[in-house]
Amino acid sequence: MTKLCICQICTCGKHRCPHRPYGIIGKGDQPCAVTEYRSEFIPREGGVRESYKPDYKIQASTVPLDDETTHKHDFIRYALDKQRSYKPEEVYTPHGEFDSLTSYNKEYTPKDGERARPIRHDAQRKISAPFEGDPTYRTDYRKWETGRTEPIRHDAGYVPPSDPFRGESTYTTDYLKHQGAMRQPIRPDQSVLQSKDPFDDRTGYRTDYISHPQQERFQRAKEQYIPNQVALDSLTTHRRDFTPKDADRTRSMKPDLQGFRSNAPFDDATTNKTDYKPWEVQPIQTHRPDQYRANPGEMDLNTIYNSEFTPKPLSKVTAMRPVERHGTDAKFDGNTTYLGDYRKWPGERPPAIRSQAGYEPPSMPFEGLSTYKGHYIPHDAGPQRSFKPDSTAYRSTVPFDDATMYRTEYTPKEIQPCPATFLDTPRSGFVLHHVEPTGHKFYQPQHELLQTQYQQQQQYPIAV
């Protein structure tokens, strides 16, 4: 069933749907201009909203500038004394001799030992007598007489088994699942490493170290703090200049949270509820494969290889060995075709070609006439004619033949009016099908409507 809008029916480009006022011919897939927001939310009359931005005014003062700064007022100049020199603390050096005997010097004493001798092997002894004996290779690996390996051929064809196929593989029948116990950890027993003897914590440091009394460290006496007797002037620039002012509370710039309210009931009729209707869903039918059926009759297992390639009597292939060459005691003949045919002929260098006599200048005086002047004689010629066409156009007395191909071939046709012009009239070929809630109209061709009615009459005839 075909449902068309006025934009799709129009062929002249002048009729457009109010829902698509900017549509173009042939581009009916553009979005509809009428939306729920434009139809439901009607603009209300209202004035210009007042700005909450405060007025910008410059706060000017006529009081003269006071150049007395905080630095000039608070920081008073005091007399400075000479800085005392700082002497570092004296390093305390204990008296007596230092006992440098450690456990290393006590336990590891120098020992007397001989120098290690280099290990040298005796030289290999050579035996002058020849070796007599058979190696393991000759005694164990003997040469056996072997014949040609015969090809493996099946004498009879394939015989299918008579037992029915059970569907069990060799892996399933041979490899059975056994219940095994839990694997024991490979971690060694920690009880072996434990000892019942008390821990011996007597080290060389504890036994050999002797604690000596240490004198007290020299401490310098701290200077006692003497507070200032002058009272502190706590008047700052901030307290003096920024005095409290009487001012009202700043008004809030936040707008009121009172939106537009309506007492009309909410229309919950959405496009999803009106257009998308629930349809009955049938369960998915699974495809069952066809049951296997064996072909009747016996299978001919006789192949072309078994029928054509039969065993043939063959003889052993003789080895292809090259013919051995025997040495010749005759004298070498060095005469070749080149030495016999191409003989050396006596030849000398050709003499240079030189003139018999020297240059002799002519005895006649030079006339000064060249070949160009003697052969090419100048001739008198007029100015060259211009090949530029005349400015006068070609004129003919024959009447103009205006019989063009367009006038002879293209005959005037009758212009069909736009079908959108006759909508909602008796001459229209389209019938109104339905109107959407948004006001969008859809039309159906009249011949499809008549065809649908005719099919319904044929399917459900009226009883007379």
Side-chain angles (χ1 to χ4, degrees):
M1 183 180 296
T2 306
K3 295 183 292 182
L4 303 175
C5 180
I6 187 173
C7 303
Q8 301 173 347
I9 299 173
C10 178
T11 57
C12 62
K14 298 180 180 180
H15 302 87
R16 297 182 182 178
C17 177
H19 296 261
R20 295 186 178 92
Y22 305 105
I24 306 174
I25 301 175
K27 295 184 178 180
D29 55 347
Q30 295 183 358
C32 180
V34 177
T35 59
E36 184 179 0
Y37 181 83
R38 295 183 179 181
S39 58
E40 296 294 337
F41 296 92
I42 305 172
R44 270 74 178 180
E45 295 181 358
V48 181
R49 189 175 184 180
E50 296 181 359
S51 176
Y52 291 96
K53 185 177 181 181
D55 298 337
Y56 180 74
K57 295 181 181 180
I58 301 175
Q59 297 180 2
S61 178
T62 57
V63 180
L65 179 63
D66 187 5
D67 60 346
E68 184 178 1
T69 61
T70 311
H71 182 80
K72 293 181 178 181
H73 186 272
D74 296 341
F75 292 90
I76 305 171
R77 188 173 183 179
Y78 296 95
L80 299 178
D81 299 335
K82 188 177 180 180
Q83 188 176 4
R84 293 177 299 176
S85 61
Y86 172 75
K87 295 181 180 181
E89 299 177 358
E90 296 180 358
V91 180
Y92 170 74
T93 305
H95 302 282
E97 296 180 358
F98 177 69
D99 186 8
S100 61
L101 181 63
T102 61
S103 59
Y104 184 85
N105 297 333
K106 183 178 179 181
E107 299 293 338
Y108 294 92
T109 57
K111 308 295 190 301
D112 296 335
E114 297 180 358
R115 188 176 182 182
R117 298 179 181 179
I119 301 174
R120 297 180 181 179
H121 300 280
D122 298 337
Q124 187 178 3
R125 299 177 181 178
K126 297 183 180 180
I127 302 173
S128 59
F131 175 73
E132 295 179 359
D134 295 334
T136 310
Y137 182 83
R138 290 185 179 180
T139 56
D140 295 346
Y141 295 91
R142 290 175 291 175
K143 188 176 182 180
W144 301 89
E145 296 180 358
T146 57
R148 185 179 180 184
T149 305
E150 297 181 358
I152 300 174
R153 297 185 178 90
H154 300 284
D155 298 335
Y158 170 73
V159 180
S162 58
D163 297 338
F165 180 66
R166 300 179 180 178
E168 297 180 355
S169 60
T170 311
Y171 182 85
T172 308
T173 55
D174 296 347
Y175 294 91
L176 304 178
K177 187 177 181 181
H178 301 279
Q179 296 292 339
M182 188 176 181
R183 187 176 181 181
Q184 298 295 331
I186 311 177
R187 185 175 57 187
D189 190 6
Q190 298 292 337
S191 60
V192 182
L193 303 178
Q194 296 178 0
S195 177
K196 298 180 180 179
D197 298 337
F199 179 68
D200 186 10
D201 58 348
R202 303 299 300 174
T203 60
Y205 180 83
R206 293 187 176 183
T207 56
D208 299 339
Y209 177 77
I210 302 172
S211 58
H212 299 278
Q214 187 177 5
Q215 297 180 4
E216 297 182 359
R217 187 177 180 182
F218 174 76
Q219 296 182 357
R220 186 181 59 180
K222 297 183 180 180
E223 297 180 0
Q224 188 177 3
Y225 172 73
I226 302 175
N228 193 0
Q229 301 299 332
V230 182
L232 176 66
D233 186 6
S234 62
L235 181 62
T236 60
T237 311
H238 182 83
R239 293 184 178 182
R240 184 186 61 189
D241 297 343
F242 296 91
T243 56
K245 309 293 190 301
D246 296 334
D248 298 336
R249 188 176 181 180
T250 306
R251 186 169 57 88
S252 176
M253 306 289 178
K254 186 178 180 181
D256 299 335
L257 299 176
Q258 296 180 0
F260 177 75
R261 298 181 180 179
S262 177
N263 298 326
F266 180 71
D267 187 8
D268 59 346
T270 59
T271 312
N272 193 346
K273 293 183 178 181
T274 55
D275 296 347
Y276 293 92
K277 302 177 182 178
W279 301 90
E280 297 180 358
V281 180
Q282 298 180 358
I284 300 175
Q285 298 180 359
T286 58
H287 175 71
R288 297 181 180 179
D290 299 337
Q291 189 177 4
Y292 172 75
R293 296 180 181 179
N295 295 329
E298 298 179 356
M299 180 179 179
D300 187 8
L301 301 175
N302 190 13
T303 60
I304 301 175
Y305 182 86
N306 297 335
S307 60
E308 298 293 338
F309 295 91
T310 56
K312 309 295 192 301
L314 299 175
S315 59
K316 189 175 182 180
V317 180
T318 57
M320 301 297 294
R321 296 179 179 178
V323 181
E324 297 181 358
R325 297 182 179 181
H326 301 281
T328 306
D329 298 336
K331 187 179 180 180
F332 177 71
D333 187 8
N335 295 327
T336 59
T337 308
Y338 184 82
L339 296 175
D341 296 344
Y342 295 92
R343 291 173 292 176
K344 188 176 182 180
W345 300 91
E348 298 178 356
R349 189 175 182 181
I353 302 174
R354 295 185 178 89
S355 58
Q356 301 296 333
Y359 173 72
E360 296 180 358
S363 58
M364 299 298 293
F366 179 64
E367 298 179 356
L369 183 64
S370 62
T371 309
Y372 181 82
K373 292 182 179 181
H375 292 194
Y376 293 92
I377 304 171
H379 300 278
D380 297 335
Q384 190 176 4
R385 185 175 61 86
S386 176
F387 291 93
K388 183 178 181 180
D390 301 335
S391 300
T392 57
Y394 176 75
R395 297 179 181 180
S396 176
T397 57
V398 181
F400 179 68
D401 186 9
D402 57 349
T404 60
M405 186 184 297
Y406 182 85
R407 293 188 176 185
T408 57
E409 299 294 338
Y410 294 91
T411 56
K413 276 79 174 180
E414 183 181 358
I415 300 175
Q416 297 293 338
C418 180
T421 310
F422 305 105
L423 290 176
D424 300 332
T425 59
R427 297 179 57 186
S428 176
F430 296 88
V431 182
L432 181 63
H433 184 269
H434 70 281
V435 180
E436 292 185 352
T438 57
H440 204 172
K441 297 181 179 181
F442 284 92
Y443 296 87
Q444 181 185 4
Q446 192 173 7
H447 62 87
E448 291 186 1
L449 181 61
L450 297 176
Q451 185 177 2
T452 305
Q453 294 177 358
Y454 177 75
Q455 292 177 358
Q456 293 177 357
Q457 292 178 3
Q458 295 293 335
Q459 187 176 2
Y460 303 103
I462 301 173
V464 180

